[in-house]
Amino acid sequence: MKKFLLAILIISIAGASVFWFYQTRIIELVINDQLIELDDPVIIEDEIIFVPAQPVFETLGAYTRWDPGGEVFSGILGEFEINLPAGSQKVIVDGEILAWDAPIKLVDDTIYAPVESAAEALGVFVKWDADNRELTISTPGEFDPEVGDNLDGPLLHVAYPPEYQLNYYSDSLFVFGTIQSYSQVDVKVNGEPVDLLNRKTGNFLTMLDIPRGEEFTVKVEASDGINTSTIERTVLYPEGIGLMAEEPLAIHSSHLIPRARQVLTTGETLRIVARGSPGATAYYQIGQGNFVPMTELEYPGGPPGRGGIYTAVYTVSPNDAPAAGISDTMPVTVMLEKDGQQVSRELPGQVAFFSELPYNVVEVKDSSELNYSGWFRIIRDNNYQIYSSTRGGTGYSDDVASYLTAGTRFETVGSSGNYYRVKLEENETYLLHKDAVRELSDKTTLEPTLSGIELLETNDKVILYLNADERFPFLVDSGTDHLRVKIFGIDKDNTLEIPEITSSVRELNLKPLEGEPKAQVLAVKIEQPMTGFTPSWENTTLKIELDKPPRIDRENPLNGKTIVIDPGHGGKDSGAPGPGDLHEKDVVLSMSLYLEELLLEAGAEVIMTRTEDVDVDLYNRPEAQFINETDFFISVHANAHGHGADAVNTHGIMTLYNYDHNEKLAEIMLAKVTEIMDLPKLYTWKRNIAVTRYTQFPCVLVEAGYMMHPEDNWYILHPEGQKKFARAMKEGIEKYFLSYLE
Ligand code: ZN
């Protein structure tokens, strides 16, 4: 334990003549919500605020010391020392020489420090309220985690990796933990000093290369020079996900495709995948048919050990199906052969074939009956993801294509487990969850005719009506100023005319979809930015409402706006882990509550999806409650590094959106939050996740830095940092609303 000399300072006489600075009224100094009595006033010179160093440092919990010979003032917080030589702009902070923006002043025996520089050095936040002449300083929240580990030396907590972390996808591991804040404790991971250490919070982060195929010990040591605390974690990076032993010849029980029953018609394809011992010859067989060769997948550029994945595509021929109805359900068998050995396995998904189309006509249930299955998926067949939710049929993994609109009808071309397969375009297959639709037993086919298009405009909407004699399948995609509605399987009435455009509409046209005999695209462009859209059915007419932006008051853009704030996670769902007991759900709630305060002050109406630590169902948020009157939706999150991520070099701000009409919003928000927080700008990410799936209003998800990055979490964990994030998000919303006026 170091010993410190206590400073003996000659405090200046009250009312000392500090004639050279500008002062109209006394400046009040508040530290951690307490008004501080000062013998010497806070002063301002050339717009730089100076505080008397001794009382401020001591109120913040630091020891102070004064060396009269060298005229050096020192503040010591924990083992963190700051030396301030009178008259000099060069100071020493934690052993490092820094040039501050103003010199240290000695006024009538009182040492003054420029507050902004001193605050940064000490790791505290400072706020200057010029109107009320109030200077606020606040210290970090509690950064030091509760530690349960039995330690011989200084405080040490390792938040990542957990014991026995497995990783397949990368060869590196990040190690994140915490030591005592403001300490001089050395941290080493497997003998090497760590890459990043924020001594003010005690958070550290470093990267390690991990050899494959053996248990590896990660040893974290924290030493104060006398005692050392050690925490060990074991990690295992297996040789590779696909690699099984060549001997004995075997087929693995997982990663077998199809996984669920497939019902297919002539011309459709069935992908067959099995994982087993590498280097064998593989075959598949459907029912009692012939054995057909499979290929072992080459996976160039992938992680090591991807061998042993065998794949084939079967195209259903006219002979497969009976003349009427559906064939028996048949097993699919895979066989491996090597050096005279043979092994075979039946795949979990079986197949049946049928000849007449459609397989079923189905109608999307009422929205009240829809939940997670209320959107449909497009099968991607160019993305090999053995672990993703592969549904068989032609494709591997799948993506959400669009929301389903209640009442929409589809002809199905088969099924895949719990999904109907729908073919809207020649080369695109979609999956529709069986829970989302009801079968129309009295209908055998859809033959809609488009008979008319109407256009109507109100103050806040442009409305399109597509009149037909029955409900047809459609897909909508949106941009900032346009909407494209693709309608499928439809005939066009010869007398159909495109209506006259209205004042906000720049363009309206209907064209055949290229390469598709029975599909049309209706495109509409509007003058203003489009802020949302809602499709719905009125009998056999498809009504699509395009939202025009609300009126914005340039001076006060948030006034009267209804804004939903969604603090991510909550309750059982903690979100990303942090350094100690603080989790993402806690910090994003604080940020959201600060944001609520700022928005209310600016005259907005605010709806919170939660205000305390409770579970919120992502899929059944109280939509109906706010869907009609909402102008903006913001979901607040903090990020987590994936296993094996380059965590030291990956940090900063990211924003997520879903529909293209919200891309600009995501960009504005990203730029604003990055600018105010002065953290790296990552990117906007188009992602279909539950909270960005609202079509009806501007909607963005902000990832406010990384929980486990020592630079980011300084702001994330600190109440003042959280307030700064809130202010950045508020300004982002404001800037977005103002963009309507451009
Ligand atoms: Zn989150």
Side-chain angles (χ1 to χ4, degrees):
M1 180 84 186
K2 280 187 194 172
K3 286 189 178 164
F4 302 106
L5 290 171
L6 264 186
I8 301 162
L9 273 183
I10 304 156
I11 305 298
S12 64
I13 319 147
S17 59
V18 271
F19 56 89
W20 41 263
F21 65 82
Y22 163 75
Q23 188 193 2
T24 52
R25 227 165 75 211
I26 201 85
I27 292 171
E28 294 200 324
L29 176 66
V30 176
I31 299 183
N32 288 340
D33 298 328
Q34 281 214 307
L35 185 65
I36 305 300
E37 298 266 339
L38 291 173
D39 294 323
D40 303 292
V42 174
I43 56 178
I44 302 181
E45 194 190 51
D46 292 340
E47 292 181 5
I48 292 176
I49 302 173
F50 291 83
V51 289
Q54 193 212 13
V56 169
F57 274 59
E58 287 183 357
T59 310
L60 292 171
Y63 290 97
T64 58
R65 153 173 98 197
W66 172 243
D67 166 11
E71 293 202 321
V72 177
F73 172 88
S74 303
I76 301 119
L77 196 61
E79 294 167 19
F80 209 73
E81 183 162 338
I82 298 172
N83 302 119
L84 311 177
S88 172
Q89 248 174 287
K90 288 219 171 87
V91 302
I92 305 174
V93 177
D94 194 24
E96 210 182 320
I97 300 173
L98 301 175
W100 277 6
D101 54 0
I104 306 304
K105 289 185 182 299
L106 182 60
V107 184
D108 293 340
D109 295 331
T110 296
I111 278 285
Y112 275 91
V115 72
E116 292 280 354
S117 304
E120 201 187 319
L122 274 171
V124 299
F125 278 76
V126 59
K127 203 164 76 192
W128 168 235
D129 178 351
D131 296 339
N132 298 312
R133 295 188 72 74
E134 187 182 82
L135 183 69
T136 317
I137 295 176
S138 55
T139 54
E142 192 54 63
F143 283 114
D144 300 334
E146 297 285 322
V147 189
D149 300 292
N150 285 326
L151 300 169
D152 299 324
L155 181 144
L156 175 64
H157 177 75
V158 176
Y160 190 95
E163 180 60 5
Y164 223 78
Q165 177 63 50
L166 286 163
N167 194 340
Y168 296 101
Y169 300 106
S170 113
D171 291 328
S172 58
L173 172 82
F174 69 89
V175 180
F176 172 77
T178 312
I179 54 168
Q180 181 76 46
S181 51
Y182 300 105
S183 76
Q184 295 300 340
V185 167
D186 265 339
V187 189
K188 285 184 174 163
V189 175
N190 288 20
E192 296 288 328
V194 296
D195 295 326
L196 274 180
L197 171 59
N198 183 338
R199 292 206 174 273
K200 295 173 217 164
T201 59
N203 283 315
F204 63 86
L205 180 65
T206 200
M207 298 296 298
L208 273 182
D209 285 334
I210 305 294
R212 285 199 175 269
E214 59 193 80
E215 287 187 351
F216 184 81
T217 304
V218 179
K219 187 176 179 187
V220 186
E221 292 167 296
S223 171
D224 58 11
I226 302 163
N227 296 309
T228 302
S229 296
T230 306
I231 292 177
E232 290 189 349
R233 295 282 151 85
T234 307
V235 296
L236 175 62
Y237 281 28
E239 286 285 5
I241 53 164
L243 203 68
M244 290 180 67
E246 290 193 29
E247 293 284 335
L249 194 65
I251 299 172
H252 201 280
S253 59
S254 66
H255 320 312
L256 303 172
I257 292 168
R259 290 189 203 169
R261 182 170 179 259
Q262 306 293 314
V263 179
L264 300 159
T265 191
T266 307
E268 292 291 290
T269 51
L270 172 69
R271 195 172 297 271
I272 298 158
V273 182
R275 183 161 80 96
S277 304
T281 313
Y283 303 90
Y284 72 94
Q285 178 194 36
I286 295 175
Q288 298 304 308
N290 296 329
F291 278 96
V292 184
M294 300 175 79
T295 0
E296 188 172 1
L297 195 73
E298 298 275 340
Y299 199 80
R306 276 278 193 159
I309 294 167
Y310 300 92
T311 168
V313 175
Y314 179 74
T315 304
V316 180
S317 84
N319 304 328
D320 287 324
I326 295 182
S327 74
D328 289 340
T329 298
M330 293 168 281
V332 181
T333 309
V334 167
M335 181 178 76
L336 295 191
E337 206 174 58
K338 193 179 180 185
D339 302 332
Q341 285 182 73
Q342 258 185 15
V343 58
S344 67
R345 189 184 273 274
E346 216 175 85
L347 303 184
Q350 302 190 319
V351 293
F353 303 117
F354 70 102
S355 47
E356 351 62 300
L357 277 169
Y359 173 55
N360 265 317
V361 174
V362 296
E363 182 176 277
V364 178
K365 289 179 184 170
D366 286 347
S367 49
S368 62
E369 298 172 79
L370 291 176
N371 49 44
Y372 72 93
S373 54
W375 51 90
F376 65 117
R377 298 167 176 279
I378 183 166
I379 296 178
R380 302 278 175 212
D381 55 10
N382 53 358
N383 178 13
Y384 189 82
Q385 275 289 2
I386 192 164
Y387 283 112
S388 69
S389 50
T390 304
R391 320 227 182 244
T394 49
Y396 292 123
S397 62
D398 55 70
D399 263 330
V400 172
S402 177
Y403 240 149
L404 285 169
T405 300
T408 307
R409 291 179 175 185
F410 295 89
E411 282 182 354
T412 67
V413 297
S415 69
S416 171
N418 291 326
Y419 289 79
Y420 282 118
R421 286 153 54 76
V422 174
K423 214 167 168 65
L424 297 180
E425 288 155 83
E426 198 53 46
N427 295 312
E428 303 278 25
T429 308
Y430 296 83
L431 296 170
L432 204 51
H433 202 283
K434 287 181 179 172
D435 284 351
V437 294
R438 72 175 65 83
E439 290 170 23
L440 301 179
S441 48
D442 55 327
K443 273 204 85 71
T444 54
T445 186
L446 283 184
E447 286 169 346
T449 302
L450 185 66
S451 55
I453 297 174
E454 289 168 61
L455 178 66
L456 190 109
E457 186 168 342
T458 67
N459 281 343
D460 47 8
K461 287 180 196 302
V462 169
I463 308 171
L464 282 162
Y465 296 93
L466 280 70
N467 305 320
D469 55 349
E470 64 180 317
R471 294 176 183 180
F472 48 84
F474 67 93
L475 269 174
V476 181
D477 68 71
S478 66
T480 312
D481 63 346
H482 73 267
L483 196 82
R484 278 159 40 96
V485 189
K486 288 195 223 171
I487 53 183
F488 299 98
I490 201 157
D491 284 319
K492 203 171 77 173
D493 192 324
N494 288 333
T495 63
L496 186 129
E497 279 179 29
I498 302 297
E500 291 277 308
I501 56 173
T502 53
S503 62
S504 295
V505 176
R506 229 177 332 141
E507 223 178 287
L508 179 68
N509 59 57
L510 182 73
K511 286 182 181 153
L513 184 60
E514 213 177 307
E516 303 290 334
K518 285 182 86 176
Q520 305 278 331
V521 187
L522 181 72
V524 54
K525 269 195 176 163
I526 65 174
E527 292 288 352
Q528 289 123 321
M530 188 186 75
T531 61
F533 66 90
T534 314
S536 62
W537 287 100
E538 286 179 356
N539 297 318
T540 53
T541 294
L542 177 64
K543 175 184 177 189
I544 300 178
E545 295 165 87
L546 287 72
D547 301 329
K548 299 198 277 190
R551 245 175 289 282
I552 299 294
D553 171 0
R554 193 180 293 275
E555 296 310 310
N556 200 351
L558 298 174
N559 194 31
K561 298 293 168 286
T562 302
I563 299 170
V564 181
I565 305 175
D566 173 45
H569 313 277
K572 286 190 289 294
D573 172 13
S574 304
D581 295 330
L582 270 187
H583 291 272
E584 181 188 351
K585 66 172 182 180
D586 307 314
V587 295
V588 299
L589 178 60
S590 313
M591 286 181 204
S592 299
L593 291 169
Y594 292 134
L595 177 59
E596 180 190 24
E597 218 175 286
L598 294 174
L599 297 180
L600 290 172
E601 269 170 31
E605 305 230 350
V606 180
I607 299 169
M608 302 286 292
T609 60
R610 68 176 175 106
T611 53
E612 48 198 304
D613 185 16
V614 291
D615 291 300
V616 183
D617 185 345
L618 280 183
Y619 303 109
N620 295 313
R621 302 239 165 189
E623 260 186 81
Q625 188 187 319
F626 56 77
I627 210 140
N628 289 320
E629 75 245 31
T630 299
D631 296 302
F632 198 99
F633 183 104
I634 181 166
S635 191
V636 182
H637 287 247
N639 229 327
H641 293 105
H643 303 306
D646 179 5
V648 169
N649 294 308
T650 308
H651 71 118
I653 312 300
M654 191 190 284
T655 57
L656 281 69
Y657 68 102
N658 183 21
Y659 299 95
D660 288 344
H661 67 267
N662 284 329
E663 184 180 5
K664 186 178 170 194
L665 155 61
E667 278 165 8
I668 290 174
M669 185 61 81
L670 177 68
K672 194 38 115 181
V673 177
T674 304
E675 173 201 319
I676 290 184
M677 299 311 297
D678 198 20
L679 285 170
K681 183 176 178 176
L682 292 173
Y683 44 83
T684 62
W685 190 7
K686 183 178 161 81
R687 254 201 105 197
N688 190 316
I689 48 177
V691 293
T692 58
R693 212 172 279 135
Y694 301 106
T695 62
Q696 303 86 343
F697 36 75
C699 190
V700 69
L701 184 151
V702 178
E703 292 281 5
Y706 282 76
M707 289 294 288
M708 293 201 278
H709 196 281
E711 279 176 44
D712 291 14
N713 77 11
W714 166 241
Y715 297 99
I716 294 172
L717 304 176
H718 195 302
E720 288 304 318
Q722 294 164 356
K723 283 181 194 164
K724 201 170 172 186
F725 265 118
R727 183 164 63 84
M729 288 186 258
K730 177 217 169 203
E731 288 190 21
I733 301 171
E734 238 164 23
K735 182 138 195 242
Y736 170 72
F737 280 146
L738 288 172
S739 77
Y740 294 164
L741 301 175
E742 282 161 15

